[in-house]
Amino acid sequence: MEFSIQLFIVLAVLFFGARKGGLALGLFGGIGVVILVFGFGLAPGNPPIKVMLVMLAVISAGATLQASGGLDVMLQVAEKLLRKHPKYITILAPLTTTTLTFLCGTGHVVYTMLPIIYDISIKKGIRPERPMAASTIAAQMGIITSPVSVAVVSLVAMLSGHTMINGKELDLIQLLSITIPGTLCGVLLIGIWSMYRGKDLKDDKDFQEKLKDPEMKKYIYGESKTLLDQKLPQYQWNAMWIFLGAIVVVAALGAFPELRPMMNGKALSMVYVIQMFMLAAGAIIFVVAKVKPADIAGNEVFKSGMVALIAVYGVAWMTKTMFGAHIGDIKEILGGIVIQYPWAYALALVFISKLVNSQGAALAAMVPLALSVGVDPGVIAAFAAACYGYYILPTYPSDLAAISFDRSGTTRIGKYVINHSFILPGIIGVSTSCTVGFILAKLYGII
């Protein structure tokens, strides 16, 4: 009975926090911890400090990259590709946003691409909802493929010390060999399906009715948003190459542990490696590109990243406090079910992800619990893509941004909220990624 009351409180905190946004979600998590500790006498769990520090390092490097203009170089290259093949934007746009997320470690890069995607699609007569919703989902799916993302690094760190059925520990390359092909298959299927979703603009009565108003028509079509007419200085290109170089180094150190310093008989943890090289990359970019400190703290990557950091802090601390106090009961209830039906773990992870609106926080809350009830590390790796479940409700900033940038009104929240533009692409993408991931894990012999 007490467990049910505490679970209800946690869900209520998550619900009200999510309605107010990511920052409020983290702050509301603090209220949850206060109630659980002072109201029910639970011992406070440990905040996910390692995860938060990795996030902070990645956010710092990414924000410095944006302040230097290096991110504009990536976006300009991406725009050249999309404008060269506008007919296939519904497939190319989500593949592009996934790639950008892979390179930068954060899905927040999608914000700058959204107005470009809208402009290309509306001028080509393509229903903007098709590439925009697909691209938003794809950007978030790309997080679990990036060697510098919080989700990937924290997952590898949490599985460290836990052997799979082949007697080996999961390493970074093994994980990416599952998540990258799975995500690409999911994103490609989203793009193909999205090509045929909704009515063509010429057949959409609501859209055609809007065009009868000259002012509305001007608003819908607007002026072209483009980076192509900008000649970017060399220091911006240098900043981009420095950042990409850091990613390559991190990936190499993850693939070859013998390249890392030995600490107490073990290779230095990738948790520390990523923090070191992300901070170092940011520092080098800062000097080379002569970045102004105020430009770092004031840009979108930094602001969005800090919101995510605070959300992870509050939510993960609250869930760790609650679930940690009832681990015995949870083992008894869920242990047999999850071991017998591996998909149950994936479904639980999707649900937790929606509650916390963060892939890193979802993994931080779910993976230790799963390991404690006997879920095999190989299964956790196979279903890693299930850490993205916050597409279920259209409350995530990138979803809301896509709705705002789509001036045609085709990307929207439905009458019943749940019937919004992102839910079907999300279901298709994540379920495909998990299925492919499970098949690959079987072929690799880790489950």
Side-chain angles (χ1 to χ4, degrees):
M1 182 62 180
E2 190 173 89
F3 174 80
S4 300
I5 295 173
Q6 293 168 9
L7 180 60
F8 174 79
I9 291 171
V10 168
L11 294 177
V13 168
L14 293 173
F15 175 76
F16 287 111
R19 291 185 64 184
K20 299 295 184 181
L23 182 61
L25 185 59
L27 299 177
F28 273 61
I31 294 177
V33 175
V34 169
I35 295 173
L36 293 173
V37 173
F38 286 88
F40 292 90
L42 302 186
N46 295 320
I49 301 300
K50 287 186 178 179
V51 172
M52 291 167 61
L53 290 176
V54 171
M55 287 184 71
L56 189 58
V58 172
I59 291 165
S60 300
T64 306
L65 177 70
Q66 184 176 20
S68 71
L71 185 56
D72 289 341
V73 176
M74 294 184 187
L75 297 173
Q76 189 180 68
V77 172
E79 185 181 353
K80 285 181 180 178
L81 172 66
L82 297 180
R83 290 195 183 276
K84 189 175 182 180
H85 305 284
K87 183 179 178 180
Y88 303 105
I89 191 171
T90 305
I91 293 178
L92 292 178
L95 287 173
T96 299
T97 57
T98 299
T99 302
L100 289 170
T101 298
F102 167 81
L103 294 173
C104 300
T106 171
H108 297 304
V109 293
V110 75
Y111 298 127
T112 309
M113 288 303 299
L114 287 174
I116 295 170
I117 294 170
Y118 173 79
D119 184 68
I120 296 172
S121 57
I122 197 70
K123 300 292 172 58
K124 190 64 179 177
I126 296 171
R127 185 182 183 87
E129 177 189 34
R130 294 170 179 173
M132 293 190 76
S135 298
T136 304
I137 294 296
Q140 299 305 318
M141 288 178 61
I143 289 173
I144 200 61
T145 72
S146 176
V148 291
S149 75
V150 173
V152 168
V153 178
S154 60
L155 182 55
V156 172
M158 286 184 284
L159 293 181
S160 177
H162 298 273
T163 56
M164 300 178 287
I165 61 170
N166 61 4
K168 299 179 180 179
E169 292 184 18
L170 184 81
D171 59 29
L172 178 65
I173 299 302
Q174 181 82 78
L175 176 62
L176 295 183
S177 70
I178 293 173
T179 60
I180 291 177
T183 296
L184 288 177
C185 288
V187 169
L188 186 60
L189 194 58
I190 289 173
I192 294 172
W193 175 82
S194 295
M195 291 180 70
Y196 307 99
R197 76 174 307 189
K199 296 179 181 178
D200 291 337
L201 292 179
K202 60 183 176 61
D203 300 322
D204 190 324
K205 293 181 179 179
D206 292 337
F207 177 77
Q208 292 300 323
E209 188 66 28
K210 291 179 180 179
L211 296 185
K212 292 179 181 179
D213 182 345
E215 289 298 318
M216 178 58 72
K217 183 176 181 178
K218 182 179 179 181
Y219 170 74
I220 289 173
Y221 285 93
E223 298 179 357
S224 294
K225 302 290 184 181
T226 181
L227 290 168
L228 297 184
D229 55 0
Q230 299 181 25
K231 182 173 177 57
L232 303 178
Q234 184 60 45
Y235 71 81
Q236 292 186 216
W237 285 86
N238 294 340
M240 181 197 71
W241 289 121
I242 292 167
F243 188 81
L244 295 183
I247 293 178
V248 171
V249 171
V250 167
L253 291 173
F256 304 103
E258 61 271 17
L259 297 177
R260 291 179 247 153
M262 299 299 290
M263 303 291 172
N264 298 321
K266 290 185 177 181
L268 181 66
S269 169
M270 284 301 294
V271 173
Y272 295 116
V273 170
I274 289 187
Q275 291 179 56
M276 292 175 187
F277 280 91
M278 284 296 98
L279 290 175
I284 296 171
I285 292 171
F286 186 91
V287 174
V288 170
K290 299 179 180 179
V291 177
K292 296 178 181 178
D295 292 340
I296 299 175
N299 66 40
E300 188 60 40
V301 170
F302 186 85
K303 291 178 181 178
S304 300
M306 292 307 296
V307 167
L309 179 66
I310 294 170
V312 168
Y313 180 22
V315 168
W317 194 11
M318 176 178 65
T319 54
K320 189 75 176 290
T321 298
M322 191 260 184
F323 291 129
H326 298 282
I327 191 64
D329 297 331
I330 294 172
K331 281 184 180 179
E332 186 176 340
I333 297 171
L334 297 180
I337 297 175
V338 175
I339 293 173
Q340 187 174 357
Y341 304 104
W343 278 98
Y345 165 76
L347 293 175
L349 183 56
V350 167
F351 176 70
I352 292 295
S353 175
K354 175 56 244 168
L355 291 181
V356 300
N357 269 1
S358 166
Q359 295 181 40
L363 290 168
M366 191 65 193
V367 171
L369 175 64
L371 291 172
S372 69
V373 299
V375 178
D376 190 88
V379 171
I380 293 174
F383 294 130
C387 67
Y388 174 39
Y390 42 85
Y391 61 82
I392 296 174
L393 292 176
T395 57
Y396 200 71
S398 57
D399 297 337
L400 299 176
I403 294 171
S404 300
F405 281 121
D406 184 357
R407 299 192 300 273
S408 71
T410 57
T411 308
R412 59 185 183 269
I413 299 174
K415 179 180 179 181
Y416 304 104
V417 182
I418 194 70
N419 58 328
H420 53 83
S421 295
F422 312 97
I423 190 164
L424 290 179
I427 291 173
I428 292 170
V430 173
S431 60
T432 300
S433 297
C434 286
T435 301
V436 173
F438 185 78
I439 293 171
L440 290 174
K442 281 281 190 183
L443 292 175
Y444 297 152
I446 64 173
I447 58 174

